[in-house]
Amino acid sequence: MKLWLLAVGQRMPRWVDEAYADYAKRLPPETPLVLKEIRAETRGSNTNADTVMEREAQRIEAALPQGCRLVALDERGQRHTTATLAAELQRWRQDGRDVALLIGGADGLAPRIKQRAENLLRLSDFTLPHGLARVLLAEQLYRAHSLLAGHPYHRA
């Protein structure tokens, strides 16, 4: 099973790229985390948020691996502890399908993408910068993996 992180936005600050890469490389080869950056829609005077989200949704759909489980990050998504995320990761592994984790652009994900998702995941009650959300998600996936593997990284 492969974990795909499809994130709207490119050219993140160096610290984001480095921190994300550090956590992604810690995951085992049988559960790699692969980042696909999706070009954000340029917002002009004639484009509203719905148009922007729809255009980004089209790019997300074009980048999705075939037959994958969709997990959309959303402020109204399900709250997880590290232990419940680890249990979810275990279920995903048992299912065997690739998992695409989606981070929307500045306006979020189009409603149809969220409706299509099998899970909505909430990272925090806080609003997070998109780069930080990438890092936090990668760290929590690694932490969930380490918990399942009995690795001492997670000490709760």
Side-chain angles (χ1 to χ4, degrees):
M1 177 195 80
K2 190 178 281 189
L3 297 169
W4 295 91
L5 176 53
L6 277 65
V8 175
Q10 299 167 296
R11 294 189 285 281
M12 290 289 121
R14 190 176 76 206
W15 69 265
V16 169
D17 293 335
E18 289 173 357
Y20 170 83
D22 181 55
Y23 288 113
K25 76 179 178 188
R26 295 181 191 198
L27 284 161
E30 63 271 12
T31 312
L33 177 60
V34 179
L35 175 64
K36 278 190 175 184
E37 292 183 317
I38 307 297
R39 184 175 59 84
E41 182 65 21
T42 304
R43 195 165 201 171
S45 59
N46 295 333
T47 54
N48 60 30
D50 291 337
T51 301
V52 168
M53 288 187 295
E54 179 55 33
R55 290 179 183 162
E56 291 171 350
Q58 292 170 8
R59 291 185 192 117
I60 290 168
E61 288 175 327
L64 285 172
Q66 182 120 6
C68 68
R69 170 188 296 271
L70 253 56
V71 178
L73 275 69
D74 184 72
E75 64 186 355
R76 290 176 269 318
Q78 182 179 7
R79 289 184 174 115
H80 280 287
T81 64
T82 299
T84 61
L85 181 60
E88 193 74 8
L89 178 60
Q90 183 63 27
R91 281 190 289 281
W92 296 343
R93 286 177 175 167
Q94 290 169 347
D95 180 49
R97 291 183 292 157
D98 284 357
V99 176
L101 300 134
L102 310 177
I103 297 177
D107 294 301
L109 291 166
R112 68 182 180 86
I113 293 287
K114 290 189 276 189
Q115 290 169 354
R116 184 176 165 191
E118 293 180 47
N119 304 89
L120 294 179
L121 174 67
R122 179 186 193 123
L123 281 183
S124 172
D125 287 342
F126 293 119
T127 301
L128 301 172
H130 288 86
L132 186 56
R134 289 182 193 190
V135 173
L136 180 58
L137 181 59
E139 192 279 338
Q140 283 299 299
L141 289 168
Y142 171 67
R143 184 175 293 274
H145 162 73
S146 68
L147 181 62
L148 292 171
H151 188 278
Y153 179 79
H154 178 71
R155 295 180 182 94

